[in-house]
Amino acid sequence: MVSTKFVVLLLLRGVVSLAQKATNGDDDDLLPSPGSPDSGNPPVGSEPDDDVNPVMEEIFSSWALFILLFLLISALWSSYTLAQRRIRAVHETVLSIFYGMVVGLIIRLTPGHYIQDTVTFNSSYFFNVLLPPIILNSGYELNQVNFFNNIVSILTFAIPGTFISAVVLGVILYIWTALGLEGVDISFVDALSVGATLSATDPVTILSIFNAYKVDPKLYTIIFGESLLNDAISIVMFETCQKFHGKPAKFSSFFEGTGLFMMTFTVSLLIGVMIGVLVALLLKHTLIRRYPRIESCLVLLIAYESYFFSNGCHMSGIVSLLFCGITLKHYAYFNMSRRTQITVKYIFQLLAQLSENFIFIYLGLSLFTEVELVYKPLLIIITAISICVARWCAVFPLSNFVNWLYRVKTLRSMGVSNTNSMSIADEIPYQYQMMTFWAGLRGAVGVALAMGLQGEFKFTLLATVLVVVVLTVIIFGGTTAGMLDVLGIKTGCIDENDDSDDEFDIEMPRPVSLNASPIVAYRDEDPSTEVLSPNIAPVIGEPLGSSPAPQATSRLSLDRQHLRDTFGTIFKADSQWFTNFDEQILKPVFLDNSGGSPQPGQASDTSYRR
Amino acid sequence: MVSTKFVVLLLLRGVVSLAQKATNGDDDDLLPSPGSPDSGNPPVGSEPDDDVNPVMEEIFSSWALFILLFLLISALWSSYTLAQRRIRAVHETVLSIFYGMVVGLIIRLTPGHYIQDTVTFNSSYFFNVLLPPIILNSGYELNQVNFFNNIVSILTFAIPGTFISAVVLGVILYIWTALGLEGVDISFVDALSVGATLSATDPVTILSIFNAYKVDPKLYTIIFGESLLNDAISIVMFETCQKFHGKPAKFSSFFEGTGLFMMTFTVSLLIGVMIGVLVALLLKHTLIRRYPRIESCLVLLIAYESYFFSNGCHMSGIVSLLFCGITLKHYAYFNMSRRTQITVKYIFQLLAQLSENFIFIYLGLSLFTEVELVYKPLLIIITAISICVARWCAVFPLSNFVNWLYRVKTLRSMGVSNTNSMSIADEIPYQYQMMTFWAGLRGAVGVALAMGLQGEFKFTLLATVLVVVVLTVIIFGGTTAGMLDVLGIKTGCIDENDDSDDEFDIEMPRPVSLNASPIVAYRDEDPSTEVLSPNIAPVIGEPLGSSPAPQATSRLSLDRQHLRDTFGTIFKADSQWFTNFDEQILKPVFLDNSGGSPQPGQASDTSYRR
């Protein structure tokens, strides 16, 4: 490890000194330096950068891109090394940030400014290039059964949770700045804006850890769903706050904001679903599958269109893209040629992987390459503590609310009126609550939003957000694996509904079950899948050491079996209408069952393949 | 067709009017417009754009990207429609340019300037984002046997050909501007710079037509190789000219430039090959193939690094990337996991396809969105005529030179001293020469280079280059298919050495021959492959109608058989040393033959697969 790091540092130093040379034009025989005597024309216009020879600009941007790609390669290589040596103490995102910081520092210390300008964090770049692949891949790879089974918990954490977190954080920050200790004085709306930016939890780090450890799918799904949706919610909250920037806050603003949010969410969801269905119908009713190269491009492009269209209409592109991804996998996937199925899946994965790694490198770089930042140490410490408080205020009360809700619902459906007569396992037990709290590290969405802050203290607030985000990633991200052990959360769960396109990982194709399994995973009727009764008998409720006496266990398991059956029925009834509607109305319309079979579910082996 | 076009136009009009609304901020309830009364802070700084709220900026860039992606979707859809209905008169690149022009005109006519600024052609964007995937994919998909068999013709057209073309064009332009008819007065070095930008022929259009028609592989390879390499050469020539901009031209500059070029080409080639070999060794000596997601990312990133590294060192990124792609396919491919083999291939293809389409849309857009262009009609007409003259001066004399060279070489190797005693078929017959001339349409590389022009008449020259490039694409690109018929060039050739990863196109995997065929394709010993004796009996030499009498044919074919055998031996001898060296020394070192077989060629079925 040490020797690798040394080599990396040496290489970086070499690269940067080369880059520096290029910037200074020392050995620049080929190209004229701008303003140097041999370039015939004097610079026109006020800014010297404007007149840099494009060929030279290309050289600079080549070096900047070379450095970024090199960092990306280092991060991926570290990720491989960590996986290969089974090192769990350090996580790759922490290393990515660290690499970014080291290179950022070197770039900062070298005299040239062009490379520094190029590698600076750019929010438009983040929103338009880096974020979409991650969201799209998340939607596409989402385990849809788990997601919709836990939709109540997810929405509770995502909507009121983000709101509580933003308000608590905003209030603390407002009070602190009102004390005037560091000369920072911001309005309440600005404090709330910062609260909103720091309430977007990051889906990347936690999920990569959870994926690596194969954490219990339920916990995974709750945290995943929350972190996906609360990005969208904090974006909308931030934008709403910015609207009131510089205006006196009114009480009616609250309702206006809420209404705006509900509308945005619904419309965005509809845009995403409609575009997904459009792709399915397009693939069904044309012969484009005969040209798989064009087909793959079109699927990718149309999915991206949902994001840009939604953003362009002031809706939430993240929500649209997420649901577009889900719809694509649910319907359009089965109308694609086999080659497109594989291409789309691998491309989404590869782009997401690159984006994820890159975002953290970018964050690390920004700490040193953003020259205008103003660091206020006390404010940073207060903010870092506040986000833990805010997260605490959101997670624990809302978990109790969800538990209460499920208990009431369960007992009512069983005809029991006294809510305390039976001990029913919690929907979200304490370990899960603690893990959800711990998983609340902040990511690049917050930083990207914070670049939109306005006013006198813009750069102070941006610096605060940036440092706090990096701190949470290092502290919480670095300790998540340990926390899983401490809390005794079940790991190594193999998801039965998992994935159908990984046949190349195990070398031999499995032609028969290729297309069938995702459909089977949908049908919700198989009593053997654990996920169907998520609020009964949570797997981690009983760590091995603390199990009750054998008789008790047996009685308990009988009880649970009973409850499970009951619940199976209830949840089937709840979700059956959509499953039926989907199987009998939607799928025949959206899927290409030209093979002649009237049952798309069973017939997938023959009819969806061509 | 007409109705589709109408719908597309309607949609575009709607999109743009929406975008325009967003730009004007008419219905902008959510976000403060910059400088409008409700945004509390007055703009800071001199440039209004600098202070645009990033959230708003994101909305604008969303619309700009939406429009670009929409154009891309339209172009791909048209491409599908053309393929589906077997329409050959119109080519997709012409449609791409046309769509770009229509939308560029609409954007130009709408008042908002932000979207116009965003969609403007940006040379750094072109060189760093759009060009690399095309070059990498070209190298990776290159038929290596054909390429190296025709290397003499390719290099002749690429190096002296581009030089002749640039000089002829430069001289004509210099004389024309010296007449002073349109008030344009440029130095000889500037005229030569324009000559260099307009000497880069475009690989995209012609090759997509040739691919669609399955043109004779030899002609395909010559034109493909030339257009790939002359991009690199015109870039180096242009940069050399720019170095002398504003200085008096000296005769010694010629030798300096030539030396610089030779050095650049060699070093770039070595960088590319070394990086490709590095990847092969990396994959061989690590276990990274157990993590195919990381592996795919690394292969892609390292390939890109060769481009940026080479550009950063003032070398030619195009040459490096091309040879990196070739080396990756030749060695690294066999060390990859199966999943990575598939992922890399599909991703290269998809990115190349998107880039290709996008470049032409971009060119079309630029005609209207580049506001500073100055159009001089006479100059444009003269330049358009001159590039045909320049191309003519390059292609026909050099073809005759190549033919002479091969004739001398053939006869000498057969021990015949009198060069006129036997009629030997031309290496490049007249039809091929004419087609090579016709395939000399100019592409986006020229436009990207022209953005680097300096001096008073920068925008006049840029406008001229842009219009001429679009004209050549429309005229030559639109008539290539017809020209193939007129010249009677053989189409529908199925390349025996073709590709091994397309099993998903035909639905059933062919597991046994998967890895074997590319190696077999390399071994150069199979007498059945036509490509081994490329200068004997060119396929199109005898159109069906004009064949000689049966006896003559029979005698001729015997003669040819004899010649072919002789040539087979000669060429085998020529290329045998490298094939042997490659098989016996390089492949055992670079390829991972841990399966235990000492012969990587034959053992590929078992040893390269895991």
Side-chain angles (χ1 to χ4, degrees), chain A residues 405-471:
Chain A
L405 201 74
Y406 267 82
R407 193 155 55 231
V408 169
K409 197 179 166 197
T410 311
L411 294 175
R412 194 165 290 169
S413 67
M414 295 166 71
V416 182
S417 57
N418 183 347
T419 56
N420 290 322
S421 66
M422 279 179 71
S423 73
I424 291 175
D426 284 341
E427 167 70 8
I428 305 172
Y430 178 73
Q431 291 96 324
Y432 281 25
Q433 295 175 22
M434 193 64 202
M435 202 61 230
T436 309
F437 168 74
W438 208 258
L441 49 88
R442 272 61 170 172
V445 171
V447 177
L449 280 180
M451 314 218 84
L453 287 168
Q454 299 170 343
E456 196 186 345
F457 296 102
K458 176 178 171 180
F459 290 109
T460 312
L461 296 177
L462 180 55
T464 309
V465 169
L466 185 56
V467 175
V468 168
V469 165
V470 171
L471 279 180

Side-chain angles (χ1 to χ4, degrees), chain A residues 18 22 27-32 38-41 47 53-55 57-59 61-63 65-67 69-70 72-73 76-77 79-80 83-84 122-124 127-128 137 141 238-240 242-243 245-247 260 282 286-288 290-294 296-298 300-302 304-305 307-309 311-314 338-339 342-343 345-347 349-350 353-354 449 451-452 454-456 501-505 507-509 609-610, chain B residues 18 22 27-32 38-41 47 53-55 57-59 61-63 65-67 69-70 72-73 76-77 79-80 83-84 123-124 127-128 137 141 238-240 242-243 245-247 260 282 286-288 290-294 296-298 300-302 304-305 307-309 311-314 338-339 342-343 345-347 349-350 353-354 449 451-456 501-505 507 509 609-610:
Chain A
L18 264 175
D27 56 352
D28 204 339
D29 285 341
L30 185 58
L31 296 161
D38 69 349
S39 74
N41 294 47
E47 287 171 85
N53 181 337
V55 179
E57 224 177 72
E58 199 214 331
I59 301 259
S61 53
S62 291
W63 278 115
L65 286 166
F66 180 83
I67 293 171
L69 291 191
F70 186 81
L72 212 40
I73 290 172
L76 286 166
W77 189 259
S79 160
Y80 157 68
Q84 180 64 19
N122 174 344
S123 67
S124 147
F127 279 116
N128 292 328
N137 190 49
E141 303 237 308
F238 179 81
E239 290 181 356
T240 314
Q242 287 297 298
K243 193 195 154 192
H245 176 84
K247 285 200 271 185
L260 206 64
L282 203 69
T286 63
L287 295 171
I288 204 155
R290 290 189 190 160
Y291 307 90
R293 290 190 192 199
I294 297 177
S296 320
C297 292
L298 280 177
L300 185 73
L301 288 174
I302 297 179
Y304 267 69
E305 281 293 62
Y307 181 79
F308 294 123
F309 180 74
N311 273 343
C313 300
H314 299 181
R338 182 80 193 117
R339 175 172 160 160
I342 290 171
T343 310
K345 183 189 159 89
Y346 287 174
I347 282 189
Q349 279 181 1
L350 183 132
Q353 170 106 42
L354 289 177
L449 280 180
M451 314 218 84
Q454 299 170 343
E456 196 186 345
D501 277 327
D502 279 340
E503 71 263 35
F504 296 109
D505 293 343
E507 205 47 47
M508 285 311 291
R609 197 113 53 77
R610 79 213 57 252
Chain B
L18 264 173
D27 55 351
D28 202 339
D29 285 342
L30 185 59
L31 296 162
D38 69 350
S39 73
N41 295 46
E47 288 172 84
N53 182 337
V55 180
E57 225 177 69
E58 198 212 331
I59 301 262
S61 52
S62 292
W63 278 116
L65 286 167
F66 180 84
I67 293 171
L69 291 192
F70 186 82
L72 212 40
I73 291 172
L76 286 167
W77 188 259
S79 160
Y80 157 69
Q84 179 64 19
S123 69
S124 147
F127 278 116
N128 292 328
N137 190 49
E141 304 237 308
F238 178 79
E239 289 180 357
T240 314
Q242 288 297 298
K243 194 194 154 193
H245 176 83
K247 284 199 272 189
L260 206 65
L282 202 71
T286 63
L287 295 170
I288 204 156
R290 290 190 191 159
Y291 308 90
R293 289 191 194 198
I294 297 177
S296 321
C297 292
L298 280 177
L300 185 72
L301 289 174
I302 297 178
Y304 267 71
E305 280 294 62
Y307 182 78
F308 294 123
F309 180 75
N311 273 344
C313 299
H314 298 182
R338 182 77 193 120
R339 177 173 157 158
I342 291 172
T343 309
K345 183 189 159 90
Y346 288 175
I347 283 188
Q349 279 182 0
L350 184 131
Q353 169 106 44
L354 289 178
L449 281 179
M451 314 218 79
L453 287 168
Q454 299 170 345
E456 194 186 346
D501 277 327
D502 278 340
E503 72 262 36
F504 296 110
D505 294 342
E507 203 48 44
R609 195 111 53 79
R610 75 214 60 250

